[in-house]
Amino acid sequence: MRRSLFTRVYKKSTNQQYESATQQSESEFNIPIGLTLKENVENIKNKLGNPSDLIVREITVSNKHKCSILYLSGLADQKLVNDNILKMVQSETSQSEPNTNPSGTSQSEPNANPSGTSQSEPNANPSETSQSHTNSNQSETYQNDTNANSSETSQSEPNTNPSETSQSEPNANPSETNKNNPKSSQSGVTQSDPNLLEMIEQHVIAITDTKKVQTLYEVIDAILSGNAVFLLDGVNTALVMGTTGYETRSIEEPQSEAVVRGPRTGFIESIDTNITLIRRELKDPNLRFDVHEVGRRSKQKVVVCSVAGIVNPDILNEVNRRIKTIDIDAAPDSGFVEQWIEDSFLSPIPQILDTERPDHVTYSVLQGKVAILVDGSPFALIAPVMLGEPLQSLEDYSQRWMIGTLLRLLRFLAIFISLFLPAIYVALTSYHPGMIPTKLAFSIAATREGVPFPSIFEALLMAVTFEILQEAGIRLPKAIGSTIGIVGGIVIGDVAVSAGIVSPAMVIITSLTAIASFTIPNYSLATGLRVLRFGLLGAASILGLYGIILVFIMLCIHIVNLKSMGVPFSSPIAPYFLGNLKNLLIRSPIITLKKRPPYLEPRDINKINDGGKSK
Amino acid sequence: MKPMKGAGYISDRDILIAVTINILGVYTLSLPRILAEDTTAADGWVGILLGGGVACILAWVVAKLTLLYPNKSFFSIASDLVTKPIAVILTFLFTLQYIAITSLQVREVSALAHQYLFDQTPLEVISLSFLLVVVYGVCGSRAGIFRLNALFLPFVMAGLLLIVVLPLAFIKTENLLPVFQTDFKGYVKSTYSSLNTFAGFGIILFYIALVKNPKNTPKMAVKGVMFNTILYTILYIVCIGTFGNSTTANLFFPTFDLSRTVEIPGGFFERFDAFLFLAWTIILFVHCLMAFDIAVMTIMMVFKKVKKINLVITLTPLIFFISMIPKDYVELTHLARYISLTKLTSLLLVIVLLWSAYKIKGGQTK
């Protein structure tokens, strides 16, 4: 009945391939595994489109029960599959047929070296009485192996009752049983019942991460995730074994967030490694990882990381709720997740921070924030993010507090320059030349003498040229990348000026703006500011300084209305005030930073309880 | 998600900031002129102190009055104390008044920009662009307005500090002397003028309903008024000391001109009033924003089903046209006087009316 349903659905899917492929109806996948091994394997093959990298290894357990191991060659660790699954099952099989199998070595070897008996075999379970009525070959094998010293067959054994051998055996030689790590005795069964699978899972398979699944959907899902699947003929349950192992990038220094002082580790594309990196830094039992699956087709793991007892449950629930709403085909990078769950998609300001650094994640999580890791992306997301935080680098805390403070102030200056400088230049030269000191005004006027454009066109020309150069520099292969730098430098810096297209002052403004924008530690914010810079340029060209001020006010309105995971973005300044400035505007000494940010309303507000006074 | 503590509500401190910035408004720019017209030498400070004192008491009374009905809107308080029709009339009185204030601010900003930044750009462009930014602000959340206040506070304070500190070197003591030569009428007039300036505390009548824990709000409102009193006194003395009484009386925006007397030696900007222009635009903007917001809020108190955005879109052209009515600075000054007169009278009227109604009812309705 079930199979007929499957075939019906399958036929339908072949007839209307396009529809079924796009819809991927749930009913199609909720089909239970059938009892016939051959058909199951065929079904899986068909479902996957008979791929060339799907390895199907068929073996026979105890000479009668057919079984198959399926995995995708590139995704699963082949050595693991061969050594810990295939070899185990095979040796089990070979032991169960000592007479028919010419592999007497497995018997003779234990005799020579009793302690060296294939230790990899799982421990015997004396409670396997259900198999005790089976052929005596089995019990012979068992005894030969366990009573290695006697090196006799079962007939010479003092145990007279062959039907109870396996049961009485451990009683007879309990000490040896423990010492020699004996094998299981019960691989052979006449009927393929789930017990055999259970037994194989319990005693044969040498892999820790196993689970049983019932539906075809889960089997295919497991195979596609790199797991190996063990199917047994006549059993409608499949055994999924965690053998995922594929080539990953090694842990390197993060490209986008380099520091002078601080750990050099960066996240990689594998989420398991990334979780490990966080766990390695935080040995707190309260560290929590909530697992979600994102991507209708990619089925990526998305993990929400937080520290229970610190994080505000409202924020955590909100993050989890938003991640559950994600409905996309695939998320190649965490940026997809970020844009799906962020509060305002119209804003140029990132409301979720991205970082490549595990230490940044642990720091943020300890502040009461939530980190989101996406499988396949080396960028972790941190939410909620507040005003000024993208301007902070974790290195500020590694430095002495005075230099940390100075660096922070410097970054505020840099962000001011990168946002406003071109606009101010345009406003001053075209609307308010009286505001520039007279001598400077003269020298600027002299340099602008031959320039045929108004300053706004000059500024736009340079700004756009710079953007093109920057974009080209990223896209080009590294070998050619430096060429662009040289060509761009000459074009911008020298030739354009001597050709009289732009003024030298404009070159200074553009390069200063560009350099200042690179001091922002967060790349997403830096790119967001590029948009704002052009907006300010436009405003300055229309209304001069007044226009700049109006855009500045609009920016502030936008910021106060912006939220990150429901927390007001301007929180450090606006609802709460002075207490936060010591960690926002300046970086006061570490021992004075006693509290976690109050706007996150963490469960445990105190970072330092008494500042070490009690010691 | 549940609103975070700081998200939906405002705190006492926000009221303090709002009152401070709102009083600062546009009148600070012209206050020295108005006071100097009625008094001799630097005697205007007496008027400021007296006006500030009266304003403190009024602010306290208004705050206490609204606190009798915590977290209830002005309209519901009024309709509870004096019947609903009267409450509707009172509410609309405030609506009209705050629309007028918004228009005035819009016009004042363009006057300021026109006078000090560009003389060729049409007034309409300057006003409209400013008004549109205000509309953008009003469309945001109400708590956002208070966050905006807090965000702007450093700029405002820095600007005011610069205004007060930098011209100190230019003060001539002969400008401040002789003292107490003003007649009694002059003191009364100056007190009245400064009281007009302080009428900005009227916003607490509407915003106190948003305060989550309004226990300390009266204290905060009074603090805000007191802060401004002190600031005005210093500002006035510095202004008179720099310009002298008669010059101050003839400058349209004496406070702003104060900053133009100073040159920063060796600085990049020859005139640092560009920075102060930022501070003043911000002050005027916030004042304008809150006035607009209150106008919208009062209408929404009566018509509960109206959408905020529709209301804002309807009011914007109206405000723009009103702001374009005055032909020149003289008419603008007159308009400003009428508006502050109605502001003060309506505030007093409401206080007297509601307070007496409350006393007559014996304060049973708590």
Side-chain angles (χ1 to χ4, degrees):
Chain A
M1 173 65 200
R2 280 166 177 170
R3 282 227 321 276
S4 70
L5 178 73
F6 175 76
T7 45
R8 221 163 55 213
V9 175
Y10 182 65
K11 261 181 197 163
K12 196 180 155 195
S13 75
T14 46
N15 291 340
Q16 307 167 342
Q17 250 183 6
Y18 179 74
E19 275 105 356
S20 71
T22 47
Q23 283 169 2
Q24 296 226 357
S25 61
E26 289 297 313
S27 62
E28 186 181 341
F29 274 127
N30 278 334
I31 304 153
I33 301 164
L35 283 167
T36 328
L37 174 68
K38 208 177 170 191
E39 234 170 88
N40 283 335
V41 173
E42 274 310 302
N43 282 337
I44 290 167
K45 271 187 179 172
N46 282 331
K47 272 282 146 210
L48 292 171
N50 213 352
S52 57
D53 56 346
L54 178 69
I55 311 266
V56 182
R57 177 73 157 89
E58 288 180 4
I59 30 177
T60 313
V61 180
S62 49
N63 210 14
K64 37 181 84 163
H65 305 294
K66 280 184 178 171
C67 63
S68 289
I69 299 169
L70 292 93
Y71 64 96
L72 284 171
S73 63
L75 291 176
D77 185 348
Q78 300 214 19
K79 194 173 182 307
L80 199 66
V81 175
N82 292 344
D83 290 355
N84 293 22
I85 302 172
L86 188 63
K87 233 183 221 173
M88 288 294 152
V89 177
Q90 277 176 338
S91 63
E92 188 62 33
T93 312
S94 65
Q95 283 149 24
S96 60
E97 331 273 338
N99 299 332
T100 49
N101 253 351
S103 62
T105 45
S106 64
Q107 267 182 305
S108 59
E109 228 179 306
N111 298 339
N113 189 2
S115 59
T117 47
S118 36
Q119 289 93 339
S120 50
E121 290 282 28
N123 214 330
N125 197 338
S127 66
E128 305 293 337
T129 46
S130 61
Q131 279 91 26
S132 58
H133 65 280
T134 54
N135 45 3
S136 56
N137 287 344
Q138 233 186 313
S139 49
E140 277 174 26
T141 321
Y142 183 75
Q143 282 157 13
N144 277 336
D145 284 340
T146 46
N147 304 326
N149 291 333
S150 66
S151 71
E152 291 288 314
T153 51
S154 67
Q155 281 81 4
S156 62
E157 275 294 310
N159 289 326
T160 49
N161 197 350
S163 65
E164 278 183 9
T165 36
S166 64
Q167 212 177 356
S168 58
E169 185 48 49
N171 299 333
N173 293 315
S175 60
E176 277 192 10
T177 313
N178 293 336
K179 251 186 233 167
N180 292 344
N181 208 358
K183 297 167 208 168
S184 61
S185 62
Q186 53 290 70
S187 50
V189 247
T190 45
Q191 295 296 315
S192 298
D193 55 337
N195 285 341
L196 177 59
L197 193 75
E198 171 84 19
M199 189 280 300
I200 286 172
E201 184 190 0
Q202 293 285 326
H203 307 292
V204 181
I205 306 287
I207 280 175
T208 45
D209 177 17
T210 59
K211 71 174 179 194
K212 288 196 189 112
V213 297
Q214 307 280 340
T215 63
L216 213 58
Y217 168 71
E218 288 168 301
V219 169
I220 289 173
D221 196 33
I223 291 175
L224 288 174
S225 304
N227 294 319
V229 172
F230 185 86
L231 286 169
L232 193 63
D233 194 19
V235 178
N236 61 358
T237 309
L239 190 61
V240 171
M241 294 154 294
T243 55
T244 314
Y246 35 77
E247 287 302 308
T248 52
R249 196 160 58 95
S250 62
I251 296 170
E252 287 163 15
E253 190 175 355
Q255 294 277 315
S256 66
E257 288 166 275
V259 293
V260 176
R261 187 168 176 184
R264 293 281 191 274
T265 46
F267 284 129
I268 61 164
E269 284 78 6
S270 158
I271 195 168
D272 296 322
T273 314
N274 292 350
I275 290 175
T276 316
L277 286 175
I278 297 172
R279 275 218 190 275
R280 241 164 49 181
E281 289 197 26
L282 275 187
K283 289 160 194 86
D284 187 343
N286 293 320
L287 187 64
R288 298 281 184 271
F289 293 97
D290 301 342
V291 183
H292 300 269
E293 194 184 80
V294 159
R296 200 179 264 257
R297 284 172 193 281
S298 63
K299 310 247 185 300
Q300 281 156 295
K301 217 156 87 170
V302 170
V303 167
V304 176
C305 168
S306 60
V307 179
I310 295 178
V311 69
N312 182 350
D314 286 343
I315 295 176
L316 184 62
N317 291 340
E318 178 68 11
V319 171
N320 281 329
R321 186 190 68 76
R322 287 192 194 182
I323 288 178
K324 280 190 189 113
T325 65
I326 297 176
D327 183 16
I328 40 179
D329 273 357
D333 184 73
S334 58
F336 284 70
V337 174
E338 176 187 345
Q339 289 172 55
W340 193 285
I341 63 173
E342 71 187 352
D343 292 63
S344 165
F345 65 91
L346 290 171
S347 175
I349 300 166
Q351 299 131 55
I352 294 174
L353 212 63
D354 54 302
T355 181
E356 271 188 284
R357 306 185 59 85
D359 56 334
H360 199 155
V361 166
T362 46
Y363 175 78
S364 302
V365 164
L366 286 176
Q367 293 276 299
K369 294 183 183 177
V370 174
I372 302 161
L373 302 171
V374 180
D375 196 13
S377 171
F379 285 92
L381 304 174
I382 294 169
V385 57
M386 295 296 131
L387 184 69
E389 278 168 9
L391 286 180
Q392 298 172 357
S393 164
L394 216 56
E395 203 185 353
D396 299 351
Y397 297 98
S398 316
Q399 308 282 4
R400 299 183 56 75
W401 74 271
M402 269 188 281
I403 191 68
T405 300
L406 278 177
L407 284 177
R408 282 215 174 144
L409 294 177
L410 187 74
R411 277 191 216 118
F412 280 108
L413 179 71
I415 201 171
F416 175 79
I417 288 175
S418 75
L419 259 184
F420 291 101
L421 192 64
I424 287 176
Y425 173 77
V426 169
L428 286 184
T429 50
S430 47
Y431 283 92
H432 325 283
M435 282 187 182
I436 315 172
T438 324
K439 280 180 188 169
L440 184 63
F442 279 138
S443 70
I444 288 178
T447 56
R448 292 207 69 236
E449 196 146 307
V451 179
F453 308 114
S455 57
I456 172 66
F457 282 114
E458 201 189 352
L460 279 177
L461 195 71
M462 290 305 280
V464 170
T465 313
F466 169 70
E467 296 293 334
I468 291 171
L469 280 173
Q470 191 181 347
E471 191 61 18
I474 297 170
R475 304 287 159 246
L476 277 174
K478 262 179 195 162
I480 319 172
S482 55
T483 322
I484 272 292
I486 297 163
V487 171
I490 292 169
V491 167
I492 289 186
D494 209 19
V495 183
V497 173
S498 56
I501 294 171
V502 291
S503 67
M506 193 64 233
V507 175
I508 297 172
I509 300 281
T510 308
S511 33
L512 195 56
T513 309
I515 293 166
S517 69
F518 291 131
T519 58
I520 299 166
N522 185 267
Y523 180 70
S524 314
L525 182 71
T527 48
L529 294 184
R530 279 150 78 173
V531 183
L532 291 176
R533 196 185 302 150
F534 282 99
L536 277 158
L537 262 180
S541 68
I542 299 167
L543 284 170
L545 271 185
Y546 182 65
I548 297 176
I549 292 171
L550 286 188
V551 173
F552 171 71
I553 291 176
M554 283 173 74
L555 197 60
C556 289
I557 296 173
H558 176 68
I559 284 173
V560 294
N561 284 320
L562 200 60
K563 285 181 178 180
S564 174
M565 291 297 152
V567 185
F569 187 73
S570 62
S571 287
I573 292 182
Y576 302 88
F577 203 52
L578 288 171
N580 289 303
L581 290 185
K582 66 180 179 188
N583 197 12
L584 177 78
L585 204 59
I586 61 167
R587 207 281 282 162
S588 66
I590 292 278
I591 47 165
T592 63
L593 300 172
K594 292 182 184 173
K595 302 242 159 115
R596 299 178 216 280
Y599 45 84
L600 296 173
E601 293 171 31
R603 282 288 183 78
D604 179 15
I605 186 86
N606 288 325
K607 214 160 35 163
I608 303 172
N609 287 320
D610 58 356
K613 276 174 203 149
S614 60
K615 282 178 187 172
Chain B
M1 180 186 184
K2 279 188 284 176
M4 306 286 287
K5 249 186 242 159
Y9 294 94
I10 56 177
S11 67
D12 289 344
R13 204 202 63 226
D14 290 327
I15 286 285
L16 171 66
I17 296 171
V19 167
T20 310
I21 292 187
N22 210 36
I23 292 176
L24 275 175
V26 75
Y27 303 103
T28 317
L29 282 170
S30 49
L31 180 74
R33 164 169 55 89
I34 298 166
L35 290 183
E37 282 169 4
D38 300 325
T39 53
T40 60
D43 286 351
W45 64 269
V46 180
I48 296 176
L49 283 189
L50 286 175
V54 176
C56 278
I57 296 165
L58 286 180
W60 192 79
V61 171
V62 169
K64 273 284 167 193
L65 192 65
T66 29
L67 272 191
L68 294 173
Y69 300 84
N71 290 345
K72 271 195 174 177
S73 73
F74 168 75
F75 180 65
S76 55
I77 297 172
S79 44
D80 210 35
L81 284 175
V82 292
T83 55
K84 205 167 183 182
I86 299 177
V88 171
I89 292 169
L90 281 179
T91 313
F92 277 129
L93 194 70
F94 277 111
T95 311
L96 291 177
Q97 184 193 315
Y98 276 104
I99 288 176
I101 292 172
T102 316
S103 311
L104 180 74
Q105 303 286 325
V106 170
R107 182 59 192 266
E108 293 264 8
V109 165
S110 45
L112 190 70
H114 215 253
Q115 194 172 353
Y116 296 106
L117 275 186
F118 14 59
D119 30 19
Q120 280 155 13
T121 312
L123 214 60
E124 287 79 9
V125 174
I126 303 176
S127 301
L128 191 62
S129 52
F130 182 77
L131 185 59
L132 289 179
V133 177
V134 173
V135 167
Y136 179 47
V138 171
C139 288
S141 71
R142 197 154 283 152
I145 293 176
F146 284 88
R147 285 202 288 274
L148 197 63
N149 279 342
L151 200 63
F152 281 152
L153 193 70
F155 296 96
V156 173
M157 287 301 143
L160 289 174
L161 199 71
L162 279 178
I163 290 180
V164 173
V165 171
L166 285 176
L168 282 179
F170 294 86
I171 293 178
K172 296 177 191 123
T173 35
E174 60 261 34
N175 283 339
L176 300 173
L177 298 171
V179 286
F180 299 123
Q181 295 295 307
T182 315
D183 53 352
F184 182 69
K185 207 178 155 193
Y187 283 129
V188 173
K189 264 191 165 178
S190 61
T191 307
Y192 167 72
S193 305
S194 68
L195 192 57
N196 271 338
T197 319
F198 286 118
F201 68 80
I203 55 151
I204 49 174
L205 201 56
F206 305 96
Y207 281 130
I208 224 166
L210 299 176
V211 181
K212 201 181 185 188
N213 233 335
K215 224 182 236 170
N216 289 322
T217 317
K219 224 186 276 175
M220 286 297 177
V222 172
K223 264 189 197 169
V225 178
M226 271 162 67
F227 173 78
N228 279 312
T229 313
I230 296 162
L231 181 81
Y232 280 177
T233 315
I234 298 170
L235 197 65
Y236 185 72
I237 290 171
V238 170
C239 200
I240 297 288
T242 313
F243 291 126
N245 188 297
S246 50
T247 318
T248 311
N250 287 310
L251 288 168
F252 191 71
F253 291 127
T255 313
F256 198 82
D257 280 306
L258 200 58
S259 58
R260 291 165 67 89
T261 58
V262 186
E263 281 182 20
I264 304 174
F268 185 78
F269 286 88
E270 198 144 77
R271 287 156 39 186
F272 81 112
D273 52 351
F275 296 114
L276 290 182
F277 194 82
L278 171 70
W280 283 116
T281 316
I282 284 173
I283 291 173
L284 295 182
F285 169 79
V286 171
H287 193 173
C288 188
L289 179 64
M290 282 200 272
F292 200 160
D293 187 52
I294 290 174
V296 171
M297 191 207 275
T298 45
I299 293 178
M300 280 172 76
M301 280 174 189
V302 182
F303 303 107
K304 289 201 172 75
K305 282 180 184 168
V306 186
K307 264 192 173 175
K308 189 177 177 182
I309 182 85
N310 294 342
L311 208 54
V312 172
I313 290 170
T314 326
L315 285 181
T316 309
L318 185 70
I319 288 169
F320 183 63
F321 286 128
I322 294 175
S323 73
M324 286 298 124
I325 289 173
K327 283 201 182 68
D328 46 23
Y329 287 166
V330 183
E331 282 190 22
L332 191 62
T333 320
H334 285 309
L335 184 71
R337 286 210 172 155
Y338 288 133
I339 286 176
S340 49
L341 179 69
T342 48
K343 200 172 168 184
L344 198 64
T345 27
S346 58
L347 205 56
L348 284 172
L349 180 78
V350 166
I351 291 172
V352 171
L353 206 63
L354 294 190
W355 194 256
S356 50
Y358 179 72
K359 282 291 158 199
I360 289 165
K361 283 198 170 181
Q364 307 127 338
T365 42
K366 271 221 165 172

